[in-house]
Amino acid sequence: MRPDGLWHPRLLEILAAAGHTDLVVVADPGLPVPRGVETVDLVWRRGEPRFLPVLRAVLAEFVVEAAVLADEAADPGLLSGLDDALTAIPVTRVSHERLKRMVADARAVVRTGEATPYANVVLRAGVPFAPTPR
């Protein structure tokens, strides 16, 4: 057993197997996931687990070179938490429709119980041996 960090075996396996430029999405439970895209469903009730703690746990295990958020994300608490979590990672904003299309190319979607609208982020894997923002 690991002493700290993520303990979810499948999520750890996905993050460890991700290659440079692979996409991993941390999402609210309402984000549509196309058939064929693996979903790690962490949600166990409305609001649980929260989006930001899951995002922080994923970021602690995974090298990220870029992130994408929806333009429609406007909740001040969500945006502040994203700013803190994604410090030093370049962030692009796109329409929610475009973000949903990006999900089709994802290696996996990690579904949280977050009930805040547009609590979704697409993370593009970086590499640990290049000067990549973390």
Side-chain angles (χ1 to χ4, degrees), residues 38-131:
E38 183 170 358
T39 303
V40 177
D41 217 335
L42 302 179
V43 61
W44 58 277
R45 73 174 187 175
R46 180 186 175 100
E48 296 294 334
R50 301 295 307 246
F51 173 82
L52 289 169
V54 172
L55 175 61
R56 286 186 196 101
V58 167
L59 291 171
E61 302 284 347
F62 185 59
V63 177
V64 175
E65 70 179 17
V68 179
L69 308 173
D71 285 329
E72 293 85 348
D75 180 82
L78 174 67
L79 293 176
S80 175
L82 283 164
D83 284 346
D84 289 345
L86 300 173
T87 300
I89 296 172
V91 176
T92 303
R93 305 262 322 222
V94 300
S95 72
H96 185 58
E97 287 305 315
R98 179 149 184 241
L99 186 139
K100 289 191 294 187
R101 288 193 300 273
M102 293 176 76
V103 174
D105 295 324
R107 181 176 196 73
V109 174
V110 181
R111 194 181 311 237
T112 70
E114 186 65 52
T116 303
Y118 306 106
N120 306 294
V121 63
V122 178
L123 304 172
R124 187 172 71 218
V127 290
F129 48 83

